[in-house]
Amino acid sequence: MTAHPQLVPGVTAVHHVAYTVPDLDEAVGFFTGVLGAELAYRTGPIADRDGQWMARQLGVHPHAVAHIAMLRLGPVTNVELFEYEAPGQRREHPRNSDWGGHHLALWTDDFDASLRRLTAYDGVRPLGEPQTVGDGPIAGTRFLYLRTPIGLHIELVQAPARLPYHDETTVRLFDPTGDTS
């Protein structure tokens, strides 16, 4: 592997992904009770009512107050959830096309069973119908976006072991099945 002097030294992996949610208890309940995450810890309130720490360190209003939960989701993903109280807080969820838009893609070994379970949960609704990619680098991949009651978009993903892009590069995306072909 060739060294790239312009790359940030020491970065080897993603430590966690983080989402701000409207209700931390509900979000933790969704992640643990529906997605099978494990709660590692909760902390808060975190605040600096008289200083600038929140603005300087987190980029939020100086008088913001945060409550945080860290969860483990599957073998490689840590998810941090924030609930903020802050002056001037926007309470609209970004669309996927908005700057800052986001979603969490979840691998499933049983697409139909996962979809049935997710949509049985109150407030989870699919955005359209399940799709199978017909051509291109990930042909054969099945997916569907869903909106959760906490405003987070999730995507269910199931893909064949061999994808067309495998013929073009040796780079492989993480595969929860362990297939490295």
Side-chain angles (χ1 to χ4, degrees):
M1 184 174 186
T2 305
H4 298 280
Q6 73 276 16
L7 298 180
V8 177
V11 173
T12 60
V14 172
H15 181 269
H16 67 272
V17 294
Y19 300 100
T20 298
V21 298
D23 182 312
L24 190 59
D25 291 332
E26 183 179 9
V28 168
F30 181 81
F31 272 86
T32 59
V34 177
L35 300 180
E38 297 174 283
L39 177 64
Y41 64 84
R42 289 180 77 144
T43 189
I46 296 170
D48 181 11
R49 297 265 187 211
D50 300 320
Q52 294 293 313
W53 189 90
M54 295 296 280
R56 183 180 63 250
Q57 297 301 124
L58 301 177
V60 298
H61 191 281
H63 298 134
V65 177
H67 295 267
I68 302 169
M70 183 67 85
L71 302 100
R72 176 72 180 260
L73 179 61
V76 298
T77 305
N78 300 318
V79 177
E80 187 176 34
L81 301 173
F82 286 81
E83 180 183 337
Y84 280 103
E85 301 163 19
Q89 181 180 42
R90 289 183 300 196
R91 295 186 175 204
E92 311 82 43
H93 298 288
R95 295 170 297 192
N96 285 317
S97 59
D98 291 339
W99 290 7
H102 55 271
H103 71 278
L104 180 63
L106 303 171
W107 175 267
T108 177
D109 292 324
D110 189 336
F111 192 94
D112 294 319
S114 295
L115 181 56
R116 279 192 302 277
R117 173 63 180 105
L118 279 167
T119 55
Y121 189 80
D122 189 34
V124 174
R125 63 178 179 81
L127 302 179
E129 298 295 324
Q131 301 292 303
T132 301
V133 178
D135 57 13
I138 60 168
T141 299
R142 194 167 181 206
F143 73 96
L144 179 65
Y145 278 69
L146 302 103
R147 183 167 174 101
T148 67
I150 58 174
L152 177 65
H153 286 123
I154 58 176
E155 177 186 6
L156 280 181
V157 178
Q158 186 176 34
R162 184 94 180 132
L163 292 165
Y165 87 88
H166 293 164
D167 296 335
E168 306 299 322
T169 180
T170 58
V171 175
R172 298 293 182 263
L173 299 177
F174 174 74
D175 182 342
T177 66
D179 190 325
T180 58
S181 60

